[in-house]
Amino acid sequence: QVQLEESGGGLVQTGGSLRLSCTASGQTFSGYSITWFRQALGKEREFVSAISWSFSRTYYADSVKGRFTISRDSDENTVNLQMNNLEPEDTAIYYCTISTLQHPPRAQGAYCNWGQGTQVTVSS
């Protein structure tokens, strides 16, 4: 099983930016779509963004569209989530996960491989 690791979380003020990264230990993301989810305290895990490997298509939740950008490094070892203009509602633990599907699902139940997550806290 691929071991996933998220990093880059932290505490920022409203309007600030953070850049999250997702890496896989011992291998590249070649052949995988990568999806970011987040889970706020007391809420269900929700889809944030995804990038497919076959066509490099990107997907975003309506709540983050225009503020977040997902991308992959050319070496295929890292997928990044650039988060700009952060809002208190973005506060959550952010997780990355992988899929072999070209069009990554938005339902968390479609995934079984998760990292430990990275905490993002946006203060008002």
Side-chain angles (χ1 to χ4, degrees):
Q1 188 175 10
V2 177
Q3 298 296 316
L4 302 171
E5 182 174 0
E6 304 90 343
S7 61
L11 171 65
V12 295
Q13 293 183 336
T14 298
S17 298
L18 285 173
R19 184 178 179 88
L20 305 185
S21 296
C22 176
T23 58
S25 61
Q27 67 180 82
T28 70
F29 284 131
S30 177
Y32 291 100
S33 297
I34 310 301
T35 304
W36 285 94
F37 282 81
R38 67 186 182 187
Q39 187 167 18
L41 190 64
K43 296 187 177 180
E44 292 189 355
R45 197 168 295 186
E46 65 176 2
F47 169 83
V48 176
S49 180
I51 185 166
S52 65
W53 283 109
S54 295
F55 307 106
S56 293
R57 290 187 62 180
T58 58
Y59 308 83
Y60 298 96
D62 288 343
S63 59
V64 307
K65 199 172 295 182
R67 301 187 297 122
F68 291 11
T69 303
I70 191 170
S71 64
R72 59 176 179 173
D73 288 352
S74 58
D75 61 5
E76 299 187 355
N77 288 336
T78 304
V79 170
N80 301 302
L81 184 67
Q82 178 66 42
M83 307 187 299
N84 297 328
N85 195 20
L86 284 162
E87 304 168 351
E89 293 73 22
D90 297 316
T91 295
I93 300 174
Y94 284 70
Y95 301 89
C96 65
T97 185
I98 60 174
S99 169
T100 56
L101 299 175
Q102 290 187 4
H103 302 290
R106 298 194 177 208
Q108 64 159 328
Y111 301 90
C112 58
N113 191 351
W114 300 90
Q116 293 298 309
T118 185
Q119 175 72 49
V120 171
T121 303
V122 185
S123 62
S124 58

